[in-house]
Amino acid sequence: MSTYTLHYAPDNASLVIRLALEALGQPYRTVLVDRKLAAHKTPPYLKLNPHGLIPVLECADGPIFETGAILLWLTDQHGELGPQADSPQRADFLKWLFFISNTVHSALRMTFYPEKYAGPDPAHQTALRLTMQDALKRHLAELDVRAAKGPFALAIQLYLGPLLRWSVLYPVQKDQDWFSLDAYPNLKQMCLTLDSLPCTAAAQTAEGLGPTPFSAPRYATPPQGSAT
């Protein structure tokens, strides 16, 4: 019997939660959110997440949204994704988890979808996109320095891997060279390690991610749904 229900779209932020559930060995079922049909904007989905974003994880306590919140909740429930509340490593875990969730992930969204934040003016969109790209380079450099000191908690690695994947795959047309994983050798080594994990193998099959989804990603070819 499934403990959790993951509302997902292939190669979306729900990938982070799929990886976490697989790493924990927790039973779960999936419900496809068809982005081509804008299913994440329909009344049934908005009852689960009024912001219309993916993912949602349904659990015994009700639906949870926000990727970072779901990861933290799973960590506190199961203990294997990161340090617990009484651990001396908890503070380091929390600050980087929230930095990735609140700062890095948000900056990527503004890079990929500047029209949602800057309005219809192309000049405003370009300005926002370039500003966020410069910020992301600084953020990722900070994360690379931290990664050189030792591995992040698993929850953070499972969050960072997909963010780096999308940075490779979805550059804006006029800014193809803004990101290179080679510029961040410690994060690249983390991605190579992620490629080899059993939880990644399960996600590869479920979402068509290809043989090296984090270190050398290619566009997803999911058996169900669309990544766009």
Side-chain angles (χ1 to χ4, degrees), residues 11 20 28 48 68 129 134:
D11 209 9
Y28 68 100
L48 299 172
R129 186 174 70 246
D134 287 342

Side-chain angles (χ1 to χ4, degrees), residues 16-70:
V16 177
I17 307 306
R18 183 191 291 274
L19 289 166
L21 291 169
E22 291 287 347
L24 290 167
Q26 288 295 313
Y28 68 100
R29 72 182 189 98
T30 57
V31 176
L32 177 66
V33 182
D34 194 333
R35 289 192 58 180
K36 283 189 173 180
L37 300 177
H40 53 308
K41 304 298 183 182
T42 61
Y45 191 80
L46 292 174
K47 288 182 179 180
L48 299 172
N49 183 352
H51 310 293
L53 297 174
I54 301 167
V56 166
L57 184 70
E58 290 191 81
C59 66
D61 295 337
I64 314 173
F65 51 81
E66 293 295 325
T67 304
I70 299 171

Side-chain angles (χ1 to χ4, degrees), residues 111-188:
T111 298
F112 296 153
Y113 310 109
E115 70 282 358
K116 294 183 178 181
Y117 300 91
D121 188 322
H124 294 168
Q125 294 175 19
T126 297
L128 177 61
R129 186 174 70 246
L130 295 177
T131 298
M132 289 299 101
Q133 288 173 358
D134 287 342
L136 280 163
K137 291 175 184 177
R138 296 193 301 272
H139 301 333
L140 294 174
E142 293 168 3
L143 287 163
D144 196 65
V145 170
R146 167 58 186 82
K149 299 176 181 178
F152 286 110
L154 183 57
I156 292 176
Q157 295 184 51
L158 298 180
Y159 203 159
L160 262 179
L163 296 183
L164 294 167
R165 167 184 170 81
W166 302 325
S167 297
V168 173
L169 290 178
Y170 302 110
V172 179
Q173 186 174 0
K174 294 181 180 179
D175 307 311
Q176 295 288 340
D177 61 351
W178 83 269
F179 175 82
S180 171
L181 187 56
D182 290 333
Y184 311 101
N186 299 298
L187 296 181
K188 184 171 184 178

Side-chain angles (χ1 to χ4, degrees), residues 66 68-73 76 90-106 143 156 159:
E66 293 295 325
I70 299 171
L71 275 179
L72 182 56
W73 190 87
D76 288 346
R90 178 74 165 192
D92 187 72
F93 169 65
L94 289 177
K95 70 185 181 186
W96 290 112
L97 177 62
F98 278 81
F99 177 68
I100 292 164
S101 176
N102 294 352
T103 304
V104 179
H105 197 169
S106 295
L143 287 163
I156 292 176
Y159 203 159

